[in-house]
């Protein structure tokens, strides 16, 4: 039974495409794939190590970030609401960390306003905030396999958007709480439903976490993230974050009663532990977001890792044929996703092979309209594009002859082999003995 379960999770679930599944099974398969990919990504992306690095970064950045948030809130006139919301965080309230943090923030803002050099305090504050969000973006980009970060203008825009959204969301949720206690409290039907009122009050922190995490998963990665891929992990991680806070509060209460190990200094390791688990949850959510959006990307994953060269060459040839026929018939060029649907190939394999064909000059990228997915079309005259030329370009891709001080016999074989391949591409070499390689002739004889 366990072997069947393992085989199903390891192989079978990845061999069923969406077109083969009913709507109900499609959802179940997507959930299972997301869980498997998230667990795999936890190990492969070293989330534990990245969470520790982010915790270290947060220790140094929490004061500048809070100072920036409070400065923005002060500009809009609702800094007191932000402070009240911080004081309402049960875990930080239990550890008595808020007064100390707020003291640091006030002194930081005072230093910024009275800097020795004009504007130097503001620059230091902006740099600290930038470095904090930059570390988060780099972690998210690694999870999403994004090699290139945003340019500085787009980074600044994205980070400022997040900083503006957080205080605004806090104010909106606080306004909703006031609405519950004032406006709705006047109605008899609301007074007669204390359970509903209690539910609404407890629901507000969850809603705030859901929105904040969803925005993070949508905005921070330097790639287009679908709505479902940002909202679903936002809700899951936002809920777990609130549950983590409740658990942490109980731990603090327990330690304060027993006064063991750290005594009055227990707040320091507890705050660090809370920051670490918060960072780890955030990164797990990013892993979930990537898994939800890229379920199809891992179809036939195990098989592709063991794919023979012959079969890969065939798929490369057929993919090129599909692009050429599309061009020959005067149809619009297709994106990698469209090619994958047309050829029933896994999207991951199509992405890898089209990138290789672009690199060797067989295909070229094009855009039908601005802000659309890139499409592919032939990069040369299709009447000159032969199978031999295609295979030769692929064979020659990469570096060659980089090993120095090789034996003379090896160099002789290499030179003969290159010449043989170039001039005898159509020759059947089935009967060529390996032992005869050093004395190969450059003709059919």
């Amino acid at each position: 039974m366990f072997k069947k379960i393992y085989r199903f999770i390891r192989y079978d679930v990845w061999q069923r495409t969406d077109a083969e599944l009913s709507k109900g099974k499609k959802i179940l398969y997507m959930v299972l794939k997301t869980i498997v990919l998230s667990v795999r990504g936890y190990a492969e992306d070293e989330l534990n190590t990245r969470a520790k690095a982010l915790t270290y970064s947060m220790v140094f950045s929490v004061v500048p970030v809070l100072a920036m948030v409070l400065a923005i809130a002060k500009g809009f006139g609702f800094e007191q609401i932000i402070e009240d919301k911080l004081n309402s965080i049960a875990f930080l309230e239990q550890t008595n960390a808020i007064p100390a943090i707020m003291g640091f923030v006030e002194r930081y803002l005072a230093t910024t306003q009275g800097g020795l050099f004009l504007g130097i305090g503001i620059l230091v504050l902006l740099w600290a905030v930038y470095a904090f969000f930059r570390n988060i973006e780099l972690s998210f980009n690694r999870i999403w396999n994004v090699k290139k970060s945003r340019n500085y203008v787009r980074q600044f825009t994205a980070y400022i958007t997040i900083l503006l959204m957080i205080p605004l969301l806090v104010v909106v949720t606080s306004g909703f709480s006031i609405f519950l206690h004032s406006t709705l409290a006047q109605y008899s039907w609301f007074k007669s439903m204390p359970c509903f009122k209690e539910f609404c009050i407890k629901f507000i922190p969850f809603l705030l976490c859901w929105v904040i995490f969803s925005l993070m998963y949508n905005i921070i990665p330097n790639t287009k993230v679908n709505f479902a891929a940002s909202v679903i992990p936002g809700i899951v991680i936002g809920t777990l974050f609130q549950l983590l806070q409740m658990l942490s509060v109980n731990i603090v209460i327990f330690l304060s009663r027993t006064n063991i190990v750290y005594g009055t200094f227990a707040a320091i390791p507890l705050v660090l532990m809370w920051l670490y688990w918060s960072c780890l949850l955030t990164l797990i959510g990013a892993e979930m977001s990537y898994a939800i959006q890229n379920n199809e990307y891992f179809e036939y994953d195990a098989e592709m890792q063991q794919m023979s060269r012959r079969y890969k060459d065939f798929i490369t040839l057929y993919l090129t044929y599909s692009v050429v026929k599309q061009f020959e018939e005067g149809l619009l060029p297709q994106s990698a996703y469209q090619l994958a649907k047309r050829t029933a190939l896994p999207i991951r394999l199509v992405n890898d092979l089209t990138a290789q064909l672009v690199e060797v000059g067989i295909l070229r990228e094009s855009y039908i309209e601005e802000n659309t997915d890139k499409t592919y079309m032939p990069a040369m005259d299709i009447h000159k594009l032969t199978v031999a030329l295609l295979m030769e370009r692929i064979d020659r891709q990469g570096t060659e002859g980089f090993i120095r001080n090789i034996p003379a016999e090896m160099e002789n074989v290499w030179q003969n082999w290159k010449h043989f391949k170039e001039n005898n591409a159509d020759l059947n070499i089935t009967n060529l003995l390996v032992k005869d390689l050093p004395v190969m002739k450059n003709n059919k004889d």
Side-chain angles (χ1 to χ4, degrees):
M1 183 184 66
F2 288 108
K3 287 182 178 179
K4 288 182 178 179
I5 294 174
Y6 173 79
R7 178 170 181 81
F8 177 76
I9 294 175
R10 183 70 178 88
Y11 300 102
D12 297 348
V13 73
W14 308 104
Q15 296 176 352
R16 302 290 297 275
T17 60
D18 288 349
E20 304 174 57
L21 301 171
S22 62
K23 188 174 182 180
K25 283 189 175 181
K26 190 184 297 185
I27 294 174
L28 290 175
Y29 272 56
M30 187 193 75
V31 172
L32 180 58
K33 287 179 180 179
T34 300
I35 294 173
V36 172
L37 289 175
S38 299
V39 173
R40 186 192 304 177
Y42 176 87
E44 293 179 354
D45 294 328
E46 300 179 338
L47 296 193
N48 187 46
T49 303
R50 298 192 190 284
K52 291 176 182 177
L54 277 181
T55 303
Y56 178 80
S57 175
M58 285 189 70
V59 169
F60 289 96
S61 304
V62 63
V63 172
V65 170
L66 280 178
M68 179 64 78
V69 170
L70 286 174
I72 293 173
K74 190 173 183 180
F76 287 99
F78 45 72
E79 70 276 10
Q80 190 59 46
I81 297 177
I82 302 296
E83 292 184 18
D84 293 340
K85 183 60 68 174
L86 287 173
N87 287 317
S88 68
I89 299 177
F91 171 75
L92 295 179
E93 182 182 9
Q94 287 292 332
T95 56
N96 295 317
I98 289 297
I101 293 175
M102 293 306 298
F104 283 127
V105 170
E106 290 174 2
R107 287 192 292 272
Y108 194 92
L109 288 174
T111 303
T112 301
Q113 294 170 359
L116 181 61
F117 300 101
L118 182 63
I120 192 172
I122 298 294
L123 291 176
V124 172
L125 174 62
L126 291 174
W127 174 255
V129 173
Y130 168 81
F132 171 71
F133 283 106
R134 173 70 172 166
N135 287 334
I136 298 177
E137 182 183 350
L138 288 175
S139 298
F140 278 33
N141 284 346
R142 289 191 186 101
I143 291 172
W144 278 87
N145 293 320
V146 176
K147 306 300 182 183
K148 187 177 180 181
S149 298
R150 296 178 177 89
N151 58 46
Y152 292 111
V153 175
R154 291 185 61 202
Q155 286 179 20
F156 179 79
T157 304
Y159 302 160
I160 291 298
T161 300
I162 295 173
L163 284 173
L164 287 173
M165 290 297 296
I166 290 175
L168 288 175
L169 286 171
V170 171
V171 171
V172 169
T173 53
S174 299
F176 182 67
S177 179
I178 295 171
F179 175 74
L180 288 176
H181 287 88
S182 58
T183 306
L184 289 183
Q186 299 175 5
Y187 296 97
S188 57
W189 65 268
F190 188 74
K191 293 179 181 179
S192 63
M193 301 172 65
C195 293
F196 177 71
K197 178 181 178 181
E198 188 70 19
F199 170 77
C200 291
I201 293 172
K202 291 185 177 181
F203 177 73
I204 292 173
F206 283 88
L207 179 62
L208 180 62
C209 284
W210 293 350
V211 175
I212 290 176
F213 279 106
S214 297
L215 285 173
M216 287 177 59
Y217 298 138
N218 188 271
I219 295 175
I220 293 181
N222 187 29
T223 186
K224 184 179 179 180
V225 182
N226 297 335
F227 178 79
S230 56
V231 172
I232 293 175
I235 293 174
V236 173
I237 299 302
T239 303
L240 291 177
F241 180 80
Q242 286 296 318
L243 296 177
L244 170 66
Q245 187 181 166
M246 296 175 186
L247 176 63
S248 302
V249 168
N250 292 327
I251 293 175
V252 172
I253 293 173
F254 172 77
L255 289 180
S256 63
R257 288 176 179 174
T258 57
N259 198 29
I260 58 175
V261 184
Y262 288 101
T264 56
F265 293 98
I268 297 174
L270 284 174
V271 169
L272 290 175
M273 182 183 69
W274 181 68
L275 288 175
Y276 164 73
W277 282 106
S278 299
C279 291
L280 185 59
L281 280 177
T282 303
L283 294 178
I284 291 174
E287 201 73 58
M288 287 178 57
S289 179
Y290 174 76
I292 290 171
Q293 184 160 317
N294 295 278
N295 259 256
E296 296 180 350
Y297 193 74
F298 290 90
E299 291 173 355
Y300 296 97
D301 183 50
E303 289 78 4
M304 284 194 294
Q305 293 179 14
Q306 302 175 6
M307 182 167 50
S308 68
R309 175 177 173 177
R310 181 178 69 164
Y311 195 56
K312 184 177 180 180
D313 286 346
F314 159 71
I315 293 178
T316 303
L317 177 61
Y318 183 74
L319 194 62
T320 307
Y321 164 79
S322 299
V323 174
V324 169
K325 293 300 290 184
Q326 190 83 357
F327 178 80
E328 185 181 33
E329 294 170 6
L331 301 175
L332 290 175
Q334 294 183 317
S335 65
Y337 184 80
Q338 292 171 321
L339 285 169
K341 289 297 181 183
R342 179 184 174 187
T343 58
L345 293 172
I347 182 62
R348 181 182 183 182
L349 184 59
V350 173
N351 279 329
D352 291 344
L353 294 182
T354 50
Q356 181 185 31
L357 289 168
V358 168
E359 189 174 341
V360 299
I362 298 297
L363 301 181
R364 68 179 180 88
E365 299 171 350
S366 62
Y367 293 87
I368 300 175
E369 295 179 1
E370 192 176 355
N371 298 325
T372 59
D373 292 336
K374 58 187 176 185
T375 57
Y376 297 93
M377 57 190 305
M380 60 183 300
D381 186 351
I382 61 174
H383 298 97
K384 296 181 180 178
L385 179 54
T386 63
V387 175
L389 175 61
L390 170 61
M391 293 306 166
E392 181 189 0
R393 293 270 183 101
I394 293 174
D395 283 343
R396 288 189 173 190
Q397 185 187 21
T399 58
E400 295 180 343
F402 53 85
I403 301 177
R404 296 183 296 178
N405 302 321
I406 62 175
E409 184 182 53
M410 182 176 176
E411 177 64 26
N412 178 45
V413 173
W414 168 239
Q415 297 299 331
N416 281 334
W417 178 252
K418 284 194 301 179
H419 194 79
F420 182 86
K421 291 282 287 184
E422 291 169 2
N423 297 284
N424 302 282
D426 59 338
L427 180 64
N428 188 343
I429 60 173
T430 304
N431 297 321
L432 180 65
L433 298 177
V434 174
K435 70 181 183 65
D436 294 331
L437 281 176
V439 293
M440 277 194 313
K441 304 297 183 181
N442 294 330
N443 52 51
K444 294 184 179 181
D445 295 331

